[in-house]
Amino acid sequence: MKPIPSGRVAPGRNPFTLKVTVAALAAVGMLSGASVWAQQGPDGAPPAAQSAGASAAGEVGASAGVVTVTGIRNAARNAQAFKQNNEQVVDSIVADDIGKFPDKNVAEILGRITGVQIIREAGEAGNVVIRGLPGAVTLLNGREMFSAVSRSLFLADIPTTMLSRLDVYKSQGVDMVEGGTAGVIDVRTNRPFDFKGATASVVARAENRDKSEATDPQLSGMVSNRWKTAYGEFGALLGYSYQRGRYADEAGWVGVPLSIENGLTGPDTIGRTMTGGDRKRWAGNGVLQWRPNKDVEVFAEVINTRIEHDAETNFFLGQLPLNKGATITTVPGTNYLQSISKTGADQWTLSSTQGRRHYSRTTQAATGATWDVNDQLRLKTELARTVSKFRNQNPIVDIVGFMPNVAGRIDNGVGSITYPGADITTGSNFFLEKFFDQHSHDEGSSTDWRADATYELADKGFFRGFAGGVRIAKRHAASIHGIEGSVNHPGAYSANPVMINAIPGFTCLSRPSAGNYGISQFPIPCASYLLNNTSDLRQAFTGTTTPNPEDPLSYYADIEKTQALYGKADIAFDAWSVPVEGSIGLRAVRTEQDLRGNSLINDAIVAASVKTTGTDYLPNVALRAKLRGDLQARFNWVKATQRPAFADFNPGLVLHAAGNTTLATGTSGNPNLKPIESKNMDAALEWYFAPTGSVTGTVFSHEFKNYIRRKSTPETYDGITYDVSRPYNTSDGKLEGVEIAYKQFYDWLPGWLGGFGVEANGTYMHGGLTEPDGKVNSFAGMSKWAYNLIGLYERGDWSARVAYSWRSRFVSEYAYRATQYDLVVDPMKSLDASLTYKLSKNLSLTVDGTNLTDFQYKDYHSVPELPRDVRRYDRTVGVALRWKH
């Protein structure tokens, strides 16, 4: 047989078919690293890199030493250049390709960034903190974006397929929308002028989750083009994304420790929480751009997200036979309960289902223009309108049974419970007990206009230029929910209760546990029955099908008007022959609030309204010293504010008269709350030794005042003194720390080794809040140590990414449930990975996985011997086909 010349394919073999075969084998794990590298040509490059029609993505020509920078390398280069040239301290992630990010939503991507930590639950990442702090403002293309009555956008609602870049600013610029003491998260989407011409992409993905045992589709697409006409250049872009995700979380939990007989300490309950849902997301965006000449550009864009989410949480609560003569053992060397059992206990046991049907929709439309008046003066303006709605239907039914025998045990941070000799899975042992008819409705909207001007001086002295701008915004937020509380079934605890197996379609069996917590399954009310037959439940429990009425005392509305004016001067000078450049600026923000709610005074509901005004002055200094061409130092100092949640301003006051054994009490919001203030300092040293290679270190400090805590104080109304609970600005705090990051591709290594790269970053933080009693607590949710280690590979048609994240233990809640115990979370870690193979110039296959180590979240009540939760989440594997033209 004659040898096949380099760059050619054997007769009868279709190159596309061959690549599909290779990729399919890789997807199922049948293609080892050795077999892949065995296909390399004599110069160490994969065969596809040698063929004339092969893609150049990430190629390294070993003989010529030339690196073609696309894909992962190009993304890393662009992100590094943005960080290096920005006057603020910022970290970015840039798309590898059109909408190609290593994760499927914005919140999950953020977990890769230095100083950012996330928590995954309900099937995805949603909880995001920057340097241990939750106070970040979220922007979409530089504009304020939010979800309903929230101050920020729920980042998981934005699919990554629409993004071009994601920026996390640790220091806030004077020209940015105010509101983030922890930083700014700016989500940047694609526009047609970002591309050279006609561009289209389609991504079809299937995702499997192990605990929910579901495989779901995800589809996204984008088409963009630009045209030159007699009236200038036009561009248009349309994007669409659909995601479905059926998920399953589970937790085995242990109740709050109590004092037991003979000086023992332990819980009175052990239980289970099983959460599952079916979440569907639709997102679409459209952009028009017009450049009538080289000096003027006009745009209009709209983005819309819609989420339909049916979910359920199944609770199982097993009461332990305390003080009933049970057999008890303790953890060796302690007085903490380890095991408890009782035969003939006839023990009360509860199962419950919370059915949830969420609907949310958020739309933002914006238009704006940029005009380069001349070589020195640029004018910009934008007008945006945002509307967001959220509705929640949340019926809950509790069922109760009595078990003859019970045994509970706590080992290795896990609580388990069993019922020897009894069949816990049958509905014949449980009867209807309680019904909660809950529902809520939130709405938010805003109109936002801004105008900015920048002027560069022709004579480059100390002052290089000036910038200024104005922003006027009107935000509306309103919320109301149904009257809360439960209704007992008329037959509960009677001689003839309604057993749940007597109701057709009512009873289900919980999903089996992935972890060993004793019993694996238990009977539950079917969530589908609760959501689809709510009227029947109302009739059974209350005698009427009428929904629970809305609670006027839960209502609040806030009309917030903001007027902001800023100015800054760009400066440059030499300090001991070292060039220094930067800016000095000031932002002034006046806020007017029209607050409305309802009060309960002398058993009568009366309207409550308050108007407030306040002005904040936010100075900003950003300096950058060019120590040499590849080495620079930064110093940034900024004052930032974070406005309280809208609900905290609620002027409604609810007063409860004193009883025979109770004091007169009241609850309310606080219209006089001040914004949380933070004075933030960042000092950084950054070495950019290659276009995709850097080492950076940042020392930071945040000084806080006006942190909000709820407390009770005496207040007198009509001569009666009430103990009224309100939120107050009571706490000050400080946070200090260090961030270190390293990034590099090892292009000089021989052959296929030249495709490897590494990103590594670590954060150390310490500090906390001084509480009203003088005690200093670390910030809830803040880990002292955190790091990310990301391995990258890109060569020829192959690219891969493996990411490991770790954070040290942290306190999630102080004085948990008003007890002496804090809720402490054990160190968290996750391993995610993705592998991509280019089947052709336009088509690629990606296999990815998250939570590959099947991480278990564990927390405890102050000491590890008193556990609270062990939680397990889905391990996901996805396969995606990506087509681009």
Side-chain angles (χ1 to χ4, degrees), residues 424-495:
I424 192 68
T425 63
T426 176
S428 60
N429 292 325
F430 288 83
F431 58 83
L432 294 180
E433 192 212 25
K434 283 187 175 65
F435 173 56
F436 302 76
D437 189 7
Q438 299 188 161
H439 47 86
S440 63
H441 178 205
D442 300 337
E443 291 187 355
S445 62
S446 74
T447 302
D448 186 334
W449 173 79
R450 65 179 294 171
D452 303 84
T454 57
Y455 184 78
E456 293 185 9
L457 295 175
D459 297 327
K460 302 295 185 181
F462 177 80
F463 291 104
R464 299 300 177 93
F466 298 94
V470 61
R471 176 177 178 262
I472 300 173
K474 183 179 181 180
R475 173 82 192 271
H476 177 263
S479 176
I480 193 169
H481 60 70
I483 294 175
E484 295 183 341
S486 63
V487 178
N488 270 19
H489 191 275
Y493 301 104
S494 70

Side-chain angles (χ1 to χ4, degrees), residues 586-843:
L586 176 68
R587 187 178 186 91
V589 185
R590 177 179 172 82
T591 305
E592 301 175 4
Q593 288 187 303
D594 184 355
L595 308 167
R596 301 172 188 178
N598 291 309
S599 295
L600 181 66
I601 310 293
N602 297 324
D603 294 327
I605 296 177
V606 296
S609 63
V610 175
K611 293 186 177 182
T612 67
T613 60
T615 303
D616 299 296
Y617 297 95
L618 309 175
N620 189 297
V621 177
L623 299 175
R624 184 168 46 143
K626 297 296 186 72
L627 304 178
R628 65 186 194 204
D630 61 350
L631 185 66
Q632 64 184 28
R634 295 181 185 273
F635 176 81
N636 291 69
W637 186 91
V638 59
K639 181 180 177 181
T641 59
Q642 175 189 341
R643 296 200 62 77
F646 289 108
D648 287 341
F649 288 114
N650 188 351
L653 172 66
V654 178
L655 297 177
H656 301 284
N660 293 331
T661 59
T662 59
L663 300 175
T665 60
T667 58
S668 180
N670 187 348
N672 299 312
L673 287 175
K674 300 176 183 179
I676 301 171
E677 293 182 5
S678 178
K679 296 177 181 178
N680 302 339
M681 184 277 293
D682 290 84
L685 185 63
E686 301 169 352
W687 178 31
Y688 299 98
F689 55 83
T692 54
S694 63
V695 177
T696 61
T698 305
V699 177
F700 59 86
S701 173
H702 299 251
E703 294 184 3
F704 299 96
K705 62 182 297 186
N706 297 332
Y707 245 83
I708 297 170
R709 289 289 184 268
R710 180 171 283 273
K711 65 176 182 178
S712 297
T713 58
E715 297 181 18
T716 301
Y717 299 93
D718 296 331
I720 302 175
T721 300
Y722 296 84
D723 197 27
V724 178
S725 172
R726 298 179 184 267
Y728 288 90
N729 297 108
T730 62
S731 299
D732 297 337
K734 189 170 185 177
L735 175 68
E736 297 175 329
V738 179
E739 295 174 344
I740 298 175
Y742 163 70
K743 178 189 300 181
Q744 186 173 15
F745 273 90
Y746 305 107
D747 300 314
W748 68 86
L749 293 176
W752 59 269
L753 293 174
F756 281 106
V758 168
E759 292 183 13
N761 59 68
T763 306
Y764 168 77
M765 298 174 286
H766 70 90
L769 290 174
T770 302
E771 302 293 354
D773 60 3
K775 184 179 179 181
V776 178
N777 288 327
S778 63
F779 292 93
M782 184 195 79
S783 294
K784 182 174 288 188
W785 297 93
Y787 69 83
N788 293 290
L789 182 61
I790 304 170
L792 306 171
Y793 189 83
E794 186 173 55
R795 183 175 176 82
D797 294 325
W798 292 92
S799 61
R801 186 189 315 257
V802 179
Y804 181 79
S805 300
W806 180 91
R807 59 184 296 196
S808 62
R809 70 177 186 175
F810 59 92
V811 177
S812 64
E813 187 175 342
Y814 287 95
Y816 179 61
R817 296 193 175 179
T819 67
Q820 61 180 310
Y821 300 101
D822 300 329
L823 207 56
V824 183
V825 180
D826 269 347
M828 298 181 63
K829 53 193 174 183
S830 66
L831 179 66
D832 306 332
S834 65
L835 174 67
T836 297
Y837 182 67
K838 297 199 72 171
L839 302 168
S840 70
K841 179 180 179 180
N842 297 343
L843 188 65

Side-chain angles (χ1 to χ4, degrees), residues 241-422:
S241 173
Y242 169 76
Q243 294 181 353
R244 185 183 185 188
R246 287 173 289 178
Y247 62 88
D249 299 347
E250 68 177 46
W253 56 266
V254 179
V256 176
L258 304 171
S259 294
I260 310 174
E261 60 186 8
N262 301 322
L264 298 178
T265 298
D268 64 346
T269 54
I270 292 177
R272 193 79 47 77
T273 303
M274 311 290 284
T275 300
D278 186 355
R279 182 189 291 109
K280 300 173 184 177
R281 281 195 177 96
W282 293 263
N285 69 322
V287 187
L288 295 175
Q289 285 181 286
W290 176 40
R291 191 176 290 151
N293 55 57
K294 65 181 182 63
D295 298 322
V296 177
E297 184 178 309
V298 181
F299 80 90
E301 64 184 8
V302 63
I303 185 169
N304 176 270
T305 64
R306 177 166 63 97
I307 298 94
E308 295 180 2
H309 184 192
D310 278 6
E312 63 180 295
T313 299
N314 311 125
F315 291 98
F316 182 83
L317 185 151
Q319 194 175 56
L320 300 178
L322 302 182
N323 305 313
K324 289 186 176 181
T327 301
I328 294 176
T329 66
T330 59
V331 177
T334 75
N335 64 341
Y336 301 141
L337 183 145
Q338 184 178 59
S339 70
I340 180 171
S341 61
K342 171 73 174 176
T343 300
D346 196 29
Q347 197 66 52
W348 184 86
T349 305
L350 179 140
S351 175
S352 175
T353 293
Q354 288 192 7
R356 295 187 299 279
R357 177 161 287 163
H358 295 166
Y359 171 84
S360 65
R361 185 165 191 157
T362 301
T363 303
Q364 184 178 86
T367 184
T370 301
W371 179 25
D372 291 329
V373 181
N374 52 45
D375 291 341
Q376 295 172 270
L377 178 62
R378 167 173 285 190
L379 303 178
K380 293 180 64 177
T381 186
E382 284 187 355
L383 176 66
R385 174 68 176 169
T386 307
V387 178
S388 183
K389 298 181 179 181
F390 173 81
R391 289 182 174 84
N392 172 41
Q393 179 186 349
N394 182 204
I396 304 171
V397 172
D398 292 350
I399 58 176
V400 167
F402 290 87
M403 296 295 108
N405 311 315
V406 60
R409 187 171 184 85
I410 300 171
D411 274 320
N412 300 317
V414 178
S416 63
I417 191 166
T418 58
Y419 296 93

Side-chain angles (χ1 to χ4, degrees), residues 533-557:
N533 300 275
T534 312
S535 294
D536 293 342
L537 291 171
R538 293 177 182 135
Q539 181 69 46
F541 279 85
T542 68
T544 176
T545 60
T546 304
N548 213 20
E550 291 184 331
D551 183 2
L553 298 178
S554 72
Y555 169 77
Y556 67 83

